[in-house]
Amino acid sequence: AEAKRRGLNNFKTTPEALTVLSEERFVKMFNELGIYTERELHARQEIVFEDYVKKVQIEARIIGYLSSNYVLPAAVQYQNILIDNVRGLREIGLDENAYAAQKNIITKISTHIQAISTTVEAMIEARKIANKEPDMQKRAHLYCNEVKAKFDTIRYHSDKLELIVEDKLWPMPKY
């Protein structure tokens, strides 16, 4: 309420919040206080947008790397153990109900693996597109809305796999 009364918006993202630096009232305020000239303020805004992009870019690379090199291999390894288990139970002649739970877990693992893999690839493509954008403010918005938006999906499915995959196979600390 106080923010609305003072004419400030409720921003949901960093790039949205940074856009106020180019609003006339802020340009005027910084100039009158002798902090920044209009040109300096715009340059500062460009630097902050670039800093934001670099930080999200680093996070995206780390998330992609961890997912592809740790989470997915551990999930596949555990899935293969379960597949061997189902195959063995089937070979000794047990009824399909005897290994239905294992098959269900294999299906869940497959679903999470596919979701992570697809989302990591989509995130990489979104980064490639964003990196081609010459306007740093637009690039920051692309990184926020197209790249960072994929983080939650990857995290959700990784968290689900963490609960399923056997502790000794999981390559990171479990919570």
Side-chain angles (χ1 to χ4, degrees):
E2 176 62 19
K4 283 186 179 183
R5 186 186 69 72
R6 295 178 59 207
L8 300 173
N9 298 323
N10 292 324
F11 301 108
K12 296 187 189 291
T13 68
T14 300
E16 286 177 3
L18 293 174
T19 59
V20 301
L21 291 175
S22 58
E23 288 182 9
E24 184 57 39
R25 62 189 171 143
F26 289 103
V27 172
K28 183 179 176 186
M29 177 188 70
F30 279 105
N31 194 21
E32 287 176 356
L33 292 173
I35 298 170
Y36 293 120
T37 65
E38 182 175 354
R39 185 173 178 195
E40 289 170 333
L41 186 58
H42 288 298
R44 183 74 186 134
Q45 183 184 37
E46 183 84 3
I47 290 167
V48 177
F49 276 127
E50 185 176 0
D51 185 55
Y52 174 80
V53 166
K54 286 181 179 183
K55 286 178 180 175
V56 175
Q57 188 177 61
I58 290 167
E59 285 183 67
R61 286 179 177 164
I62 290 170
I63 288 170
Y65 177 81
L66 289 174
S67 298
S68 298
N69 293 294
Y70 292 94
V71 173
L72 295 179
V76 169
Q77 184 178 5
Y78 185 58
Q79 186 179 45
N80 286 333
I81 291 169
L82 292 174
I83 290 169
D84 287 341
N85 177 259
V86 167
R87 189 177 295 121
L89 293 172
R90 186 181 300 140
E91 286 175 5
I92 65 170
L94 290 181
D95 182 71
E96 196 166 317
N97 289 333
Y99 48 85
Q102 291 92 320
K103 285 177 66 176
N104 185 37
I105 294 170
I106 292 167
T107 301
K108 286 180 183 179
I109 292 172
S110 291
T111 300
H112 296 304
I113 287 172
Q114 186 60 45
I116 292 170
S117 180
T118 302
T119 308
V120 166
E121 288 301 317
M123 182 181 65
I124 290 168
E125 289 306 311
R127 275 185 33 225
K128 288 177 183 177
I129 291 167
N131 288 336
K132 291 178 183 175
E133 175 55 57
D135 181 290
M136 196 53 70
Q137 182 173 344
K138 290 179 182 175
R139 188 183 300 178
H141 283 279
L142 286 171
Y143 261 91
C144 180
N145 299 322
E146 302 299 327
V147 176
K148 191 175 181 209
K150 311 263 189 286
F151 291 6
D152 288 341
T153 301
I154 296 167
R155 173 69 187 266
Y156 171 81
H157 291 285
S158 295
D159 287 349
K160 292 298 183 182
L161 285 173
E162 180 181 356
L163 296 172
I164 297 171
V165 173
E166 186 178 352
D167 289 353
K168 69 180 180 180
L169 297 177
W170 193 254
M172 295 170 280
K174 282 193 166 193
Y175 298 101

